[in-house]
Structure formats: structure tokens, C-alpha cells
Amino acid sequence: MSTTRSGDVARSNAERWATPVFGIAMGIVFFAVFGLRGDWAGAVIALAIMLAYSAVLVVLGRRSETVGLLGGDSADERGKLIQARANTATAYVLITVIIAAFLVEISRGQDGAPWSWLGAVAGLTYIAATAWYARRS
Amino acid sequence: MRNDVRLLREAAALSQGELAALLGVSRQTVNAIETGRYNPTLPLAIRLCRYFGHTIEEVFHVDDEER
């Protein structure tokens, strides 16, 4: 029993730190990419934004449920439901933007890329995910 | 769906945080259940009801029952 509880705590800590660490890592990647272009101001700003975001997740993650969930802390079933709904809302907005951008591009006589490719990836992912979860739910 | 979780918790002299810790969920989740903003999954509802020594039907009430 105690092993399970300590395992849960370790997993919870890992979840809590995963997103801030990922944010810091992305900040370093952004810094390197901007730096390779010679845009050191952009590099510093991008790194600072990601460090600040990660710091907010760590400092406020235990005080605010919203910040905690943004930081990947999905300790219970309601947290997972909130994250799933947030993911769905984000996907709806993204696909709407992709379709709108695709329509604008082809109305201008362009071939619609890369929006057409992004739309195709989104559509195929939706079909595959639906099939996957239909078999396992 | 209405429920008697708040009544049962207060009768047991538990805070939302204490009940949350007993159930392995967040305090906000207990609050959301009590206020009817969130309906727990069956496993959590069973866990909750067993803790208070009641059946699910005794704790959770479908709104149709009011008619």
C-alpha cells in the first residue's frame, strides 16, 4: 500500500515538473534557433518568456488549480476531464483557423499549402483517433 | 444531478480538503461535486458512498426524482 502511495506521489511530482522542464527546454531551443539566425534580441526574449512561463507554473501551480492544470498536474479524474475539454476546444479553434486560412489562400490563387497539409493531418488524426477509441471504449 | 455529499461531509465533521485527501482527489473536485458542477465517475461515486456507508441512490439523486 505504501509502495503504491509513494509511487503515486513520485508520478504526481513527475507530472508537476514535466511541463516546466519542457518549457525551459523549449526556451533553450528557441534561444539556439534565434541565435543561429543572429537574432540575439529575439533569442533572449523567447528564452525569457519560456523561463517566466515555467516559473509561474512552478510557483503558482500549488495555489491555483488552473495554473496547476496548465502545468500538467492532473491528479484526479476531474482534472483529466478539464484537460481533455481544453484540448478539444483548442483543436476546434485550430481547425477553424486552418480551414479559414486555407480558404483565404486558395481564394488568392495559391495552392493552399501549408494549410491544406495541416488540415489533412488533422482530419486523418481525427479519423484514426475515432477508430482507435471506438475499439477500446 | 443533486447529491447529499455536503450534508454527509459536514455531519462527519470533515473539511473539503480532508475528504479530498481521503478520496484521493483535489479539494476543488470535492467542491465541484458538492455544488453539482461535476458528476463523479462511477468508481469515485462508489468510493465516496462507501466511505459514508450509504448506497449511490441514497447520496445521488437524479433530477427526475423531483417530479
Side-chain angles (χ1 to χ4, degrees), chain A:
Chain A
M1 187 71 176
S2 61
T3 304
T4 303
R5 195 173 287 272
S6 64
D8 289 346
V9 170
R11 189 176 59 201
S12 178
N13 282 333
E15 286 179 353
R16 186 167 291 120
W17 284 98
T19 305
V21 168
F22 179 74
I24 293 169
M26 288 307 298
I28 293 170
V29 170
F30 290 152
F31 181 85
V33 171
F34 276 93
L36 286 173
R37 283 180 12 188
D39 182 3
W40 292 107
V44 171
I45 290 170
L47 178 60
I49 289 172
M50 295 309 294
L51 289 178
Y53 180 68
S54 298
V56 167
L57 294 181
V58 172
V59 174
L60 298 180
R62 288 179 183 270
R63 294 183 186 177
S64 162
E65 183 183 33
T66 301
V67 177
L69 289 170
L70 286 172
D73 184 9
S74 54
D76 67 15
E77 59 180 46
R78 180 171 152 272
K80 288 182 172 65
L81 179 66
I82 290 169
Q83 288 178 328
R85 286 176 172 169
N87 288 341
T88 303
T90 304
Y92 278 133
V93 170
L94 277 178
I95 197 66
T96 301
V97 168
I98 288 170
I99 291 171
F102 171 72
L103 293 174
V104 168
E105 284 292 296
I106 59 171
S107 71
R108 289 176 174 171
Q110 312 279 341
D111 63 359
W115 308 108
S116 52
W117 288 106
L118 289 172
V121 168
L124 290 173
T125 302
Y126 182 74
I127 292 167
T130 300
W132 175 272
Y133 288 115
R135 282 173 172 264
R136 285 161 180 77
S137 298

Side-chain angles (χ1 to χ4, degrees), chain B residues 2-5 7-8 49-50 52-62 65:
Chain B
R2 296 172 300 107
N3 66 73
D4 300 328
V5 173
L7 287 173
L8 293 167
C49 293
R50 279 183 179 167
F52 289 117
H54 289 276
T55 64
I56 285 186
E57 291 87 348
E58 289 170 338
V59 177
F60 292 92
H61 314 286
V62 180
E65 291 177 5

Side-chain angles (χ1 to χ4, degrees), chain B residues 3 7 9 17 24 26-27 36 38 44-45 52 62:
Chain B
N3 66 73
L7 287 173
R9 176 180 61 76
S26 68
R27 182 192 61 76
Y38 175 68
L44 176 56
F52 289 117
V62 180

